[in-house]
Amino acid sequence: KAGVTQTPRYLIKTRGQQVTLSCSPISGHRSVSWYQQTPGQGLQFLFEYFSETQRNKGNFPGRFSGRQFSNSRSEMNVSTLELGDSALYLCASSQITGSYNEQFFGPGTRLTVL
Amino acid sequence: AQSVTQLDSQVPVFEEAPVELRCNYSSSVSVYLFWYVQYPNQGLQLLLKYLSGSTLVESINGFEAEFNKSQTSFHLRKPSVHISDTAEYFCAVSDLETSGSRLTFGEGTQLTVNP
């Protein structure tokens, strides 16, 4: 079974631009979560989608948004990029939602904002 | 709200030596506990988890962790490490009252195994 895939793997943008990152979960998984990883703040939860509905949201500004499609694929969007948005963005999928479920992580998209 | 503290940011050890990576958590409600490992340029992989039952949990590659409710700790141990164990290790919690799959992570511990 293929793992979680994220595209693109690397991205360079400039301040003020917007970016869209994509995540394809493991086949049959319906929950997708997004995390931001930075050297200073560590791993921080962005949001979770389950059955096309946002279930949870972390403490990030409204510039960060996401959505999930009927095939469970998910995208996250960051508008008006800031230098501090440079990070590794990780996507994780699980079969169903619930804190006890094992989450499977993708390799991440490394975003650099210049 | 919960928080996780990993007490050591870097742990260097020699091959075949024992190792302990420390994790303490703070939460007002019951939690599930996890250890994830991240190899360079890869995502996180689940190493082991505590949901309920026996407080000692083991992974297939020789790691174990013990849930200590009174000390709010979930330390990770391995009696003899290999070079291939070099990676960053993250302790994480999720609370039983939050719906969904939200994880709160510690800052990470870089384990470096030297020959």
Side-chain angles (χ1 to χ4, degrees), chain A residues 35 37 48 56 97 99 103 106, chain B residues 32 38 43-44 94 99-101 103:
Chain A
Y35 293 84
Q37 185 176 21
E48 180 202 6
N56 269 303
T97 187
S99 54
Q103 294 189 50
Chain B
Y32 297 126
Q38 186 177 34
L44 280 71
S94 64
S99 63
S101 306
L103 289 169

Side-chain angles (χ1 to χ4, degrees), chain A residues 24-80:
Chain A
S24 293
I26 292 172
S27 178
H29 286 196
R30 294 164 56 198
S31 168
V32 174
S33 298
W34 288 88
Y35 293 84
Q36 182 196 64
Q37 185 176 21
T38 61
Q41 300 296 318
L43 277 153
Q44 293 189 289
F45 173 80
L46 280 155
F47 28 66
E48 180 202 6
Y49 286 87
F50 178 71
S51 294
E52 302 178 65
T53 302
Q54 189 179 84
R55 290 298 305 269
N56 269 303
K57 190 176 190 309
N59 190 25
F60 279 82
R63 300 185 297 106
F64 291 82
S65 63
R67 60 178 174 168
Q68 187 179 36
F69 302 94
S70 58
N71 62 357
S72 294
R73 190 177 70 86
S74 176
E75 289 180 347
M76 68 163 280
N77 184 277
V78 187
S79 63
T80 319

Side-chain angles (χ1 to χ4, degrees), chain A residues 11-21 36 63-64 76-87 89 111-114:
Chain A
L11 206 49
I12 299 175
K13 292 285 188 180
T14 57
R15 279 180 299 174
Q17 288 187 309
Q18 75 164 17
V19 66
T20 299
L21 312 181
Q36 182 196 64
R63 300 185 297 106
F64 291 82
M76 68 163 280
N77 184 277
V78 187
S79 63
T80 319
L81 284 165
E82 301 177 359
L83 294 179
D85 297 332
S86 294
Y89 290 88
L111 172 65
T112 302
V113 182
L114 303 176

